[in-house]
Amino acid sequence: MGSSDLQEWLDIVAPKLGVSSEIVDAVSSAVLDRVRDVAHDVVRPGAPLTAFLVGLAAGQAVQGDGSGTQADPSEVAAAVVKRLLVVDELVENWRQNGSGDAEVELQ
């Protein structure tokens, strides 16, 4: 998977998950660097889970009301599950078509 495939994938997934491409562009390199470090220096399965935890922590830290209070964990978990289902559908579409968008909406 080349860098153009990665960019295409991110361009598809980010808006479907309600994430600004500006944020993705700003943090992608750093996330990939950290995930690589975890995979090579700690334990391979820890890499994606670490990326998940970083994203989750960031989401909890930045609340819509600006108060900085953490969201209810069950609400956060439900939001994560919804987004994982979107990713599942997008991955399946990617597998079947090699690239491209899918008619997937965040419910």
Side-chain angles (χ1 to χ4, degrees):
M1 183 174 190
S3 63
S4 64
D5 288 337
L6 175 58
Q7 190 60 53
E8 180 182 357
W9 173 248
L10 295 176
D11 289 345
I12 292 167
V13 175
K16 296 290 186 180
L17 297 178
V19 177
S20 161
S21 62
E22 183 178 339
I23 294 169
V24 174
D25 292 344
V27 301
S28 291
S29 182
V31 170
L32 289 172
D33 287 346
R34 294 330 174 277
V35 169
R36 179 203 60 225
D37 293 345
V38 171
H40 291 283
D41 297 335
V42 182
V43 60
R44 194 172 222 43
L49 292 173
T50 299
F52 164 74
L53 291 173
V54 168
L56 185 60
Q60 285 183 305
V62 181
Q63 296 300 304
D65 64 4
S67 69
T69 60
Q70 291 193 345
D72 180 299
S74 63
E75 290 177 13
V76 173
V80 169
V81 168
K82 282 183 179 182
R83 283 152 181 84
L84 290 174
L85 293 173
V86 170
V87 172
D88 286 345
E89 290 184 44
L90 292 169
V91 168
E92 186 58 33
N93 187 66
W94 188 272
R95 283 184 190 137
Q96 292 177 5
N97 301 317
S99 66
D101 202 351
E103 294 299 319
V104 178
E105 298 296 326
L106 184 59
Q107 301 294 322

